[in-house]
Amino acid sequence: MFILFKGRPDLLKHPFLIPGKPALKVDIVGVMVAEKIGSCVALSATVLYALCNNLALIFGLSALRGFSEVIILAASYSLSSILIPPAKRARYFGLFNATYFLSWGVAGTLIVGPLTDVLISRGTAEELAYRMAFVSTSVLTLLGLIILGVLLWTMRRSAHSQP
């Protein structure tokens, strides 16, 4: 994990990134950086899925995807805990969990599945159709990463403009 932060020791000061240490104080910029790192790792692994022909490499990519999911989920919870007032956390975390986990299933069911079916029905080889499923997932992840980058840029800009 720490290889990702080589040359950026300032990222290691955020306690939620260090395994075994409780997150007593969460910095919103650090959370957003973690979200970006997790998204980049997920995007890279998903693109490599589409290019992969080796089962052992697929297992390694699955582990990498799991790593990215842990970072994304932990950073999402941290960001939510910053944005949701303590008195409303129980109710809003329930909504957060419902939408977060439902969104993964909906994207697969409504986008990737039909895309694969349409490609196969139009005569595309099954292997290529399934690879395109990973490519479409990569595009969705990239769009999310771009939105996250714009949000981070906007937050930094507004933080610097405040007296």
Side-chain angles (χ1 to χ4, degrees):
M1 177 171 170
F2 296 112
I3 294 170
L4 293 173
F5 305 112
K6 189 175 182 181
R8 293 288 314 270
D10 58 317
L11 292 179
L12 294 176
K13 71 180 180 182
H14 302 292
F16 72 92
L17 291 175
I18 301 171
K21 299 283 185 180
L24 300 176
K25 181 179 178 186
V26 179
D27 177 19
I28 196 163
V29 175
V31 170
M32 298 296 275
V33 168
E35 287 271 352
K36 284 176 133 180
I37 290 169
S39 296
C40 286
V41 171
L43 179 63
S44 301
T46 306
V47 168
L48 291 173
Y49 268 136
L51 304 173
C52 188
N53 287 327
N54 183 334
L55 187 59
L57 187 57
I58 290 174
F59 289 146
L61 292 172
S62 294
L64 196 60
R65 284 284 302 179
F67 170 78
S68 70
E69 292 300 321
V70 168
I71 290 177
I72 291 170
L73 187 58
S76 296
Y77 272 109
S78 297
L79 184 61
S80 297
S81 71
I82 292 169
L83 299 175
I84 299 172
K88 297 181 179 182
R89 279 197 188 136
R91 186 176 79 183
Y92 287 145
F93 265 115
L95 292 172
F96 171 81
N97 285 333
T99 56
Y100 182 84
F101 291 106
L102 183 62
S103 67
W104 288 105
V106 170
T109 304
L110 296 179
I111 298 171
V112 177
L115 172 69
T116 305
D117 290 342
V118 166
L119 288 173
I120 290 172
S121 70
R122 292 192 176 175
T124 304
E126 286 185 10
E127 180 183 342
L128 180 60
Y130 287 116
R131 288 178 189 270
M132 289 300 105
F134 290 112
V135 170
S136 67
T137 302
S138 300
V139 170
L140 287 173
T141 304
L142 182 61
L143 288 174
L145 185 59
I146 290 169
I147 291 168
L148 182 64
V150 169
L151 181 61
L152 178 60
W153 178 77
T154 304
M155 290 174 66
R156 282 186 179 171
R157 190 171 170 195
S158 66
H160 290 304
S161 67
Q162 293 178 354

